[in-house]
Amino acid sequence: MNKDASERRVVVGVDGSQSSYEALRWAVRYADMVGGTVNAVAVWELPGLYGWSGPAVDMDVDEEETRQKISREMTEVLGAEAAGSVRTHVVHGNPTDVLLRAAEGAEALVVGSRGRGGFTRALLGSVSQHVSQHASCPVVIVRHEG
């Protein structure tokens, strides 16, 4: 991901949840105010990949599917013109680790207050909580009023 020091970057985590869509809208408005750019980061991780066993999976299939989905979502959430100005990155790995790395040197890291975790009650906001405690830049956590 582009980490040019002269550029004011706003990094936003996008996972398909309504909360992340609100975070994306907030990031675009903020970047416009500060004259910056938006890097939308979608992180994918295969369930069971690090466990005892996992299904035989073609890892490229998930990444390509995620790339297509994020492109559609950007247009649906922001409109075609605004979506065209957002740099999208699809990264395989742990969401917290990937977002923290992507936000190094950024103006801000923006995340939704809730994601699409498998155990919604148990992990509610686990990524947003972790990045808020460990990011090297300001973190904005956007709530979805729904």
Side-chain angles (χ1 to χ4, degrees):
M1 283 171 257
N2 186 355
K3 294 181 183 173
D4 182 355
S6 65
E7 178 181 58
R8 298 182 89 171
R9 289 180 307 113
V10 178
V11 176
V12 58
V14 180
D15 68 1
S17 68
Q18 290 302 316
S19 228
S20 77
Y21 295 157
E22 293 298 327
L24 176 61
R25 289 182 192 103
W26 194 97
V28 168
R29 287 190 306 268
Y30 181 72
D32 189 46
M33 288 183 350
V34 300
T37 61
V38 176
N39 288 354
V41 180
V43 183
W44 63 277
E45 187 172 38
L46 293 175
L49 185 63
Y50 305 107
W52 285 89
S53 66
V57 178
D58 180 359
M59 292 177 68
D60 292 334
V61 172
D62 289 333
E63 186 172 359
E64 183 55 34
E65 184 177 310
T66 302
R67 285 184 196 288
Q68 292 171 2
K69 183 177 180 189
I70 195 172
S71 178
R72 285 190 309 270
E73 288 175 355
M74 291 292 142
T75 302
E76 290 170 11
V77 172
L78 301 173
E81 186 176 331
S85 69
V86 175
R87 296 176 186 155
T88 58
H89 305 276
V90 177
V91 182
H92 176 255
N94 175 281
T96 301
D97 294 340
V98 169
L99 289 173
L100 288 172
R101 278 194 314 271
E104 290 174 4
E107 183 80 14
L109 170 60
V110 185
V111 293
S113 61
R114 302 181 202 184
R116 289 189 168 268
F119 300 101
T120 303
R121 291 190 194 271
L123 299 177
L124 187 62
S126 61
V127 171
S128 59
Q129 181 181 8
H130 192 81
V131 298
S132 71
Q133 295 171 350
H134 299 283
S136 60
C137 66
V139 176
V140 177
I141 301 172
V142 180
R143 271 184 75 196
H144 170 63
E145 300 294 332

